[in-house]
Amino acid sequence: MPYAIMRFEKRKSGAIGGLNNHHERKKQKYESNPDIDMSRSAQNYHIIRPQTKYRDEIARRIHDAGCKVRKDSVLFIDTLITASPEFFDKRSPEDSRAYFKRAVEFLEQEVGRGNTAGC
């Protein structure tokens, strides 16, 4: 049975650079996750394109909000939006894109437009 998946994970400053490189497929090889098929990376796309590196965007948002952070503060919530493989098996790339677009719209309704970046 196909199903939607959303995962939320609190992240601190040490994770920012690695996640930026991972999400944007900046590495040549992913030994920690052999399931990543780099030949398919060209098919990746953004619903919301990041305007800067993640670290710069997070720092700007913290500054604009006037927040003070400690070394061990949670700085952002890493969010994964996907679905079970069966969901995508029978869908065209256009239908898959519509699914992700709708999922981002849902997320923006829940957390506020402008509180999402790099989806």
Side-chain angles (χ1 to χ4, degrees), residues 7 11 15-27 30 36 41 44-46 50 54 76-80 117-119:
R7 185 206 71 208
R11 298 293 190 150
I16 297 172
L19 283 172
N20 188 96
N21 292 339
H22 175 69
H23 292 171
E24 302 301 323
R25 296 295 190 252
K26 304 251 181 196
K27 293 182 176 181
Y30 289 85
I36 295 175
S41 291
N44 293 351
Y45 57 87
H46 291 280
Y54 293 7
F76 68 105
I77 306 296
D78 180 29
T79 305
L80 171 72
C119 298

Side-chain angles (χ1 to χ4, degrees), residues 12-83:
K12 298 180 181 182
S13 65
I16 297 172
L19 283 172
N20 188 96
N21 292 339
H22 175 69
H23 292 171
E24 302 301 323
R25 296 295 190 252
K26 304 251 181 196
K27 293 182 176 181
Q28 295 297 316
K29 187 175 181 183
Y30 289 85
E31 292 176 9
S32 64
N33 188 346
D35 293 333
I36 295 175
D37 182 353
M38 293 299 291
S39 69
R40 297 179 64 193
S41 291
Q43 298 172 13
N44 293 351
Y45 57 87
H46 291 280
I47 301 298
I48 302 171
R49 181 165 301 283
Q51 300 301 307
T52 63
K53 288 184 177 184
Y54 293 7
R55 184 172 306 283
D56 296 338
E57 178 66 15
I58 291 165
R60 183 190 63 77
R61 288 169 181 252
I62 290 170
H63 176 268
D64 290 353
C67 295
K68 295 185 183 206
V69 296
R70 298 184 330 209
K71 188 167 70 170
D72 64 342
S73 293
V74 170
L75 301 183
F76 68 105
I77 306 296
D78 180 29
T79 305
L80 171 72
I81 300 170
T82 189

